Amino acid sequence: MTRAAAERDDIRTRFQAVDTSNVADALDELGLTDQGLHPELTALSGERLAGWAYTIAGETASYEGTGDPAKMAACAGVGPGEVTVWAGDGAGICYFGELIALGMAERGAVGALVDGGVRDLKWLRRHGFSVFARYRTPIQSIGRWRVTGAQGAVTLRGATAPTVTVHPGDFVLADEDGAIVIPDRAVDAALRRAEELTRTEVRIREALADGSSLQECLDRFGHV
């Protein structure tokens, strides 16, 4: 779905105010029950990701040279409000570190979701660049792992299914509970429902603070 920049910004701002748990429940109601990513994908820098997916794929490969031109070209295409989503088979290898992250941030990227490894975490944290990844490692990718393409469908490890397919323009949300992918076609409905669930939770917390029992709250507001 083609969206204007202002609409993309508004949606991203609204997603920043809801939890992944409520989005997951909303997706369940929409019949999208396997959008959660594997629990190994956790915050290594920052606490939250919310942005439009910009996908990057790679593979393990031995090669000569001092860099990966395809990686630089891929990263140069990222835009404002986007989260780079990295997929590949590079066990134990770093897909990117501080300098590439800074280059992405210059173009408006708001973080990275990496089904693999990253390094330079001290510096990523100091720069405030949010990264959710599967592992950390000091081992660079040059000569070991290379980018094979960008802005195509990629597969990441799933929470309730072996894999989750991420397309360019899907929405990525990650917080303390984990990471989830909202297909572009479901973004509007999932967001509206997640906001409704969030408002209900607020009312329940207020009622509990005023002395209502949990059962009274559930009877009044329903289960969330």
Side-chain angles (χ1 to χ4, degrees), residues 75-101:
C75 292
V78 68
E82 292 182 330
V83 169
T84 54
V85 178
W86 298 71
D89 61 350
I93 296 169
C94 158
Y95 290 8
F96 79 93
E98 178 197 12
L99 297 183
I100 289 179

Side-chain angles (χ1 to χ4, degrees), residues 17-128:
V18 299
D19 296 333
T20 55
S21 56
N22 284 332
V23 174
D25 292 353
L27 290 173
D28 278 349
E29 293 179 8
L30 293 171
L32 297 168
T33 57
D34 294 312
Q35 295 302 122
L37 298 177
H38 198 281
E40 288 182 352
L41 285 159
T42 57
L44 297 185
S45 174
E47 298 179 350
R48 189 173 182 86
L49 277 179
W52 303 92
Y54 179 95
T55 60
I56 299 174
E59 65 178 5
T60 299
S62 296
Y63 59 93
E64 300 294 330
T66 59
D68 182 355
K71 179 187 289 187
M72 301 306 295
C75 292
V78 68
E82 292 182 330
V83 169
T84 54
V85 178
W86 298 71
D89 61 350
I93 296 169
C94 158
Y95 290 8
F96 79 93
E98 178 197 12
L99 297 183
I100 289 179
L102 290 177
M104 291 187 294
E106 287 176 352
R107 295 172 174 82
V110 294
L113 178 69
V114 187
D115 194 1
V118 297
R119 68 179 189 177
D120 302 330
L121 292 180
K122 175 177 69 175
W123 299 107
L124 291 172
R125 291 165 182 163
R126 289 188 184 182
H127 295 306

